[in-house]
Amino acid sequence: RLFVYHCGSESNSVQSDTFQVMERRLLKVIMTPAMIVSWILGLVLLFVFGAVSLNSEGWIHAKLALVIALSAYHMYLGKLVREFAQNNNKHDATFYRVLNEVPTVLMIGIVILVIVRPF
């Protein structure tokens, strides 16, 4: 959501600089460590505790695909943070509003696959 507000500010302004700091801290201090911990704990559950079998349960493959997509989304956000830091934003607020909904859709899919286990 920070990107929506950031693209409305003037380049090289105090407000733009503040958004750059907020975006960088959010990515490096909160988002990236949370993603790493999630991957580690998920792999521990999968392989150490044998929570599911990769051979027999198809839903886990779909869930892993969505988790990988969420990780790719995370990397794309890192690219956008770097573009904003270089004052090289190429998108408008509508693009960022739509982009903001991607993790929600992915997380809904992940939770449904875990709870329902359709296949």
Side-chain angles (χ1 to χ4, degrees):
R1 190 73 182 160
L2 285 172
F3 294 152
V4 174
Y5 303 129
H6 191 171
C7 71
S9 65
E10 294 291 324
S11 295
N12 296 321
S13 67
V14 173
Q15 187 179 27
S16 178
D17 293 343
T18 302
F19 281 126
Q20 288 177 18
V21 170
M22 292 167 65
E23 291 158 358
R24 188 177 60 250
R25 286 183 182 167
L26 180 63
L27 184 70
K28 293 188 184 279
V29 177
I30 298 172
M31 290 172 52
T32 299
M35 182 185 70
I36 292 168
V37 168
S38 295
W39 266 102
I40 290 170
L41 294 177
L43 293 172
V44 165
L45 279 173
L46 186 62
F47 293 112
V48 176
F49 294 107
V52 295
S53 171
L54 284 175
N55 296 330
S56 64
E57 301 188 43
W59 67 270
I60 192 71
H61 294 101
K63 178 193 170 204
L64 285 172
L66 292 178
V67 170
I68 290 168
L70 193 58
S71 297
Y73 172 82
H74 174 84
M75 288 182 242
Y76 181 65
L77 291 180
K79 177 183 178 276
L80 293 176
V81 167
R82 286 188 300 276
E83 286 178 2
F84 269 115
Q86 298 167 351
N87 293 316
N88 193 21
N89 175 36
K90 300 174 184 132
H91 305 288
D92 62 354
T94 304
F95 173 81
Y96 293 116
R97 282 188 181 93
V98 172
L99 192 67
N100 191 43
E101 303 308 319
V102 171
T104 303
V105 172
L106 291 172
M107 290 301 295
I108 288 170
I110 291 167
V111 170
I112 288 173
L113 285 169
V114 171
I115 302 296
V116 176
R117 296 184 183 194
F119 43 89

